[in-house]
């Protein structure tokens, strides 16, 4: 039984295919608008790589390297750490849309400041604004997408959210490639890509006006009629009495009432029960592995890596950066398409194991080039960089923002998404400062650190992470609970949602979730 199948028992005023249904088509448009928040994140992820290959940017900012380059990169992530708590508060207190607007404004201001920057201080200031803006937009979008998506396509909407990262990455990579051929030695070769970074925030700001508020937030704030109408419009083409819509309203109201009992929605709730402590550990693992798998070197410091193996041409460097973005995008799409067929845990293990094998080989090739200076040895690194990114993208891009909400009770889902992003930002801030310093100091030997890290992560994922493929929403939300708690929660959920279901179905569900645990 796949996610959302238990909703099939309710009649629903929608077409069999989403593209034939007016309400679901409108919902998809709004989801695509929210995807622009992650697009902006991907644009910056590739932009700094491309800028490092432009001679004019290197000249105008004094050829930054080592600690200085690390500081420029880290200023994008450092402000996200304290701002995560502020944004989570705003999202819960004032709704998802306010933070989307604020995020778009900060990103646009950062793009303008970066495009007209005259010195390193202004450049870092622009990256602070961009960091705060993308954090606000990403947290809001991550919370709002699953709350607006129709139950039939919720897992698709969640898994493809982060795939949009590579659309921004591809655009930035090939734009900087084109700027290599910008006539003369004008600073506009790097100013243009920075200014075009404001395109995503403008789309987000204008589009958010048409995106509805979260039905869950509306119910929580006593605006049930508004929430009911939004669900009816987008999940049943305006039918307020639709069985599925009525069920969704009951589910949301029940979850909101549960939050009021025992303060189950506070940050401290992650430490109050064994199940929540297990979830906390898994979320931290997911947040850090997405940054400490070695991808930080390639995503932000590809140019120093290529230089270390003798690839010094600006055309070659920007071309590889652009090709890598397209390749990673297709691999992420493949991974998002396989989450239900192959399973989350399986894809995670394949991803980490594949990255480990690639890093071992890259370690050997880099060491060989350092000893021999043979061009062929250095060039052999390139296909393994592409292969590494393929293994990373099939799991680490699409799955975390799908997996974290589904293993978490509804009362903690917004904070769980914030916790995931917080752990990512902490790990990334460390990465962006440490990676260029370590690369400058010990070169290819630094890869050995990530070989060790990947071995540790593979072991932890093997023993800690549990599968949710084929489980319904209420089943996935309890896979990390103890046996007694899990069975009680499943029984209550099944009796509330399936009052007429046979006892055998409940028994099978308990046994299946027990096997995953």
């Amino acid at each position: 039984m796949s996610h959302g199948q238990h909703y099939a028992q309710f009649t629903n005023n929608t077409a069999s295919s989403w593209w034939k249904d007016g309400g679901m088509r409108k919902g998809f448009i709004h989801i695509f608008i929210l995807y622009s928040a992650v697009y902006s994140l991907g644009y910056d992820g590739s932009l700094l790589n491309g800028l490092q290959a432009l001679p004019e940017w290197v000249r105008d900012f004094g050829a930054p390297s080592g600690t200085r380059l690390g500081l420029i990169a880290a200023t994008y992530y450092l402000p996200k750490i304290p701002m995560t708590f502020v944004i989570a508060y705003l999202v819960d207190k004032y709704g998802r849309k306010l933070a989307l607007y604020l995020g778009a404004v900060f990103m646009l201001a950062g793009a303008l400041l970066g495009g007209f920057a005259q010195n390193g201080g202004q450049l870092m200031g622009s990256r602070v604004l961009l960091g705060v803006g993308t954090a606000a937009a990403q947290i809001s979008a991550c919370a709002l997408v699953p709350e607006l998506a129709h139950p039939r396509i919720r897992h698709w909407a969640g898994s493809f959210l982060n795939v949009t990262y590579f659309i921004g990455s591809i655009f930035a990579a090939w734009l900087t490639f084109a700027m290599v051929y910008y006539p003369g030695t004008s600073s506009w070769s790097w100013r243009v890509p920075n200014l075009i970074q404001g395109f995503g925030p403008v789309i987000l700001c204008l589009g958010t006006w048409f995106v509805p508020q979260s039905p869950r937030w509306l119910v929580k704030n006593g605006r049930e009629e508004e929430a009911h109408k939004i669900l009816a419009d987008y999940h049943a083409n305006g039918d307020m009495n639709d069985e599925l819509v009525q069920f969704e309203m009951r589910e949301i109201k029940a979850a909101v009432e549960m939050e009021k009992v025992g303060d189950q929605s506070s940050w401290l709730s992650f430490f109050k029960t064994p199940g929540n402590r297990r979830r906390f550990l898994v979320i931290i693992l997911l947040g850090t592995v997405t940054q400490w798998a070695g991808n930080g070197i390639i995503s932000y410091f590809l140019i120093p890596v290529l230089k270390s193996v003798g690839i010094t041409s600006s055309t070659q460097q920007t071309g590889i950066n652009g090709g890598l973005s397209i390749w990673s995008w297709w691999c992420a799409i493949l991974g998002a398409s396989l989450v239900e067929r192959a399973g989350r845990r399986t894809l995670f293990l394949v991803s980490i194991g594949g990255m480990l094998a690639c890093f071992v080989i890259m370690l050997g090739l880099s060491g060989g080039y350092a000893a021999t200076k043979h061009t062929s040895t250095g060039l052999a690194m390139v296909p393994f960089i592409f292969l590494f990114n393929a293994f990373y993208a099939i799991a680490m891009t699409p799955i975390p923002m799908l997996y974290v909400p589904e293993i978490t009770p509804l009362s903690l889902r917004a904070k769980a998404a914030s916790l995931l992003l917080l752990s990512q930002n902490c790990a990334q801030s460390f990465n962006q400062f440490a990676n260029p310093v370590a690369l400058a100091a010990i070169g290819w030997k630094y890869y050995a650190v990530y070989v060790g890290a990947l071995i540790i992560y593979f072991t932890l994922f093997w023993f800690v992470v549990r599968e949710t493929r084929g489980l319904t929403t209420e089943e996935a939300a309890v896979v990390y609970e103890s046996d007694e708690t899990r069975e009680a929660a499943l029984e209550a959920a099944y009796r509330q949602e399936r009052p007429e279901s046979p006892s055998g179905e409940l028994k099978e569900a308990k046994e299946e979730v027990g096997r995953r645990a």
Side-chain angles (χ1 to χ4, degrees), residues 208-387:
T208 297
W209 177 264
F210 301 98
V211 175
Q213 184 57 271
S214 159
R216 183 181 180 279
W217 183 84
L218 290 171
V219 171
K220 186 176 180 179
N221 287 272
R223 296 159 62 179
E224 292 185 11
E225 283 300 316
E226 292 179 58
H228 192 171
K229 188 173 188 315
I230 289 171
L231 290 174
D233 286 345
Y234 293 95
H235 294 184
N237 291 290
D239 184 357
M240 300 285 282
N241 296 315
D242 183 84
E243 282 190 12
L244 175 61
V245 170
Q246 294 282 351
F247 167 73
E248 287 185 286
M249 282 298 296
R250 291 197 303 272
E251 189 178 47
I252 291 172
K253 286 190 283 188
V256 169
E257 287 301 316
M258 285 180 63
E259 288 186 12
K260 298 176 182 178
V261 180
D263 192 26
Q264 295 183 40
S265 63
S266 73
W267 286 99
L268 291 177
S269 297
F270 280 110
F271 307 100
K272 290 181 177 178
T273 68
N276 280 349
R277 289 193 289 271
R278 294 187 194 102
R279 293 184 183 95
F280 181 85
L281 172 61
V282 170
I283 293 170
I284 297 300
L285 279 177
L286 286 172
T288 55
V289 74
T290 57
Q291 308 303 326
W292 286 348
N295 57 302
I297 294 180
I298 295 172
S299 63
Y300 268 82
F301 302 105
L302 176 64
I303 304 307
V305 169
L306 295 177
K307 287 179 179 178
S308 72
V309 292
I311 301 174
T312 56
S313 164
S314 293
T315 303
Q316 289 178 324
Q317 292 171 352
T318 52
I320 290 172
N321 187 35
L324 199 60
S325 296
I326 295 175
W327 168 253
S328 299
W329 181 45
W330 282 108
C331 293
I333 290 174
L334 174 64
S337 303
L338 291 175
V339 291
E340 279 295 296
R341 295 181 183 178
R344 284 72 153 157
R345 183 176 184 273
T346 300
L347 286 176
F348 278 137
L349 292 174
V350 169
S351 174
I352 298 172
M355 289 189 289
L356 173 59
C358 290
F359 246 99
V360 169
I361 296 171
M362 288 193 291
L363 176 64
L365 289 172
S366 299
Y369 176 80
T372 65
K373 300 300 179 183
H374 289 163
T375 303
S376 58
T377 305
L379 290 174
M381 274 277 288
V382 176
F384 286 100
I385 290 175
F386 275 76
L387 193 58

Side-chain angles (χ1 to χ4, degrees), residues 2-54:
S2 62
H3 280 296
Q5 282 188 353
H6 67 291
Y7 292 104
Q9 67 180 295
F10 303 105
T11 59
N12 184 214
N13 185 36
T14 54
S16 57
S17 301
W18 70 266
W19 57 85
K20 298 178 182 178
D21 188 87
M24 293 182 72
R25 284 199 303 270
K26 286 192 296 183
F28 257 106
I29 291 172
H30 295 151
I31 288 171
F32 290 149
I33 289 170
L34 295 173
Y35 281 4
S36 64
V38 180
Y39 159 89
S40 299
L41 193 68
Y43 189 101
D44 184 84
S46 188
L47 179 64
L48 188 59
N49 255 336
L51 293 178
Q52 292 175 69
L54 297 177

Side-chain angles (χ1 to χ4, degrees), residues 160-244:
F160 274 89
L161 174 61
N162 265 9
V163 173
T164 319
Y165 176 97
F166 288 112
I167 298 178
S169 178
I170 291 167
F171 188 23
W174 286 106
L175 180 59
T176 51
F177 175 84
M179 290 297 105
V180 171
Y181 299 97
Y182 192 88
T185 58
S186 169
S187 295
W188 285 105
S189 64
W190 61 263
R191 293 187 189 278
V192 169
N194 275 283
L195 291 171
I196 291 179
Q197 192 168 10
F199 173 76
V202 170
I203 295 297
L204 181 63
C205 189
L206 295 177
T208 297
W209 177 264
F210 301 98
V211 175
Q213 184 57 271
S214 159
R216 183 181 180 279
W217 183 84
L218 290 171
V219 171
K220 186 176 180 179
N221 287 272
R223 296 159 62 179
E224 292 185 11
E225 283 300 316
E226 292 179 58
H228 192 171
K229 188 173 188 315
I230 289 171
L231 290 174
D233 286 345
Y234 293 95
H235 294 184
N237 291 290
D239 184 357
M240 300 285 282
N241 296 315
D242 183 84
E243 282 190 12
L244 175 61

Side-chain angles (χ1 to χ4, degrees), residues 80-91 139 267 418-419 422:
K80 294 188 180 205
I81 297 172
M83 288 303 298
T84 297
F85 298 99
V86 177
I87 295 164
Y89 171 79
L90 291 175
V91 167
I139 290 173
W267 286 99
S418 298
L419 180 62
L422 175 64

Side-chain angles (χ1 to χ4, degrees), residues 364-441:
L365 289 172
S366 299
Y369 176 80
T372 65
K373 300 300 179 183
H374 289 163
T375 303
S376 58
T377 305
L379 290 174
M381 274 277 288
V382 176
F384 286 100
I385 290 175
F386 275 76
L387 193 58
F388 171 89
N389 268 39
F391 280 115
Y392 179 91
I394 61 170
M396 301 307 167
T397 298
I399 301 180
M401 288 311 305
L402 167 67
Y403 189 77
V404 167
E406 69 184 7
I407 65 168
T408 311
L410 187 59
S411 60
L412 284 173
R413 279 176 190 164
K415 287 182 172 61
S418 298
L419 180 62
L420 176 67
L421 296 178
L422 175 64
S423 60
Q424 287 177 329
N425 291 330
C426 289
Q428 186 71 296
S429 296
F430 173 82
N431 257 8
Q432 300 315 303
F433 184 78
N435 283 344
V437 176
L439 283 170

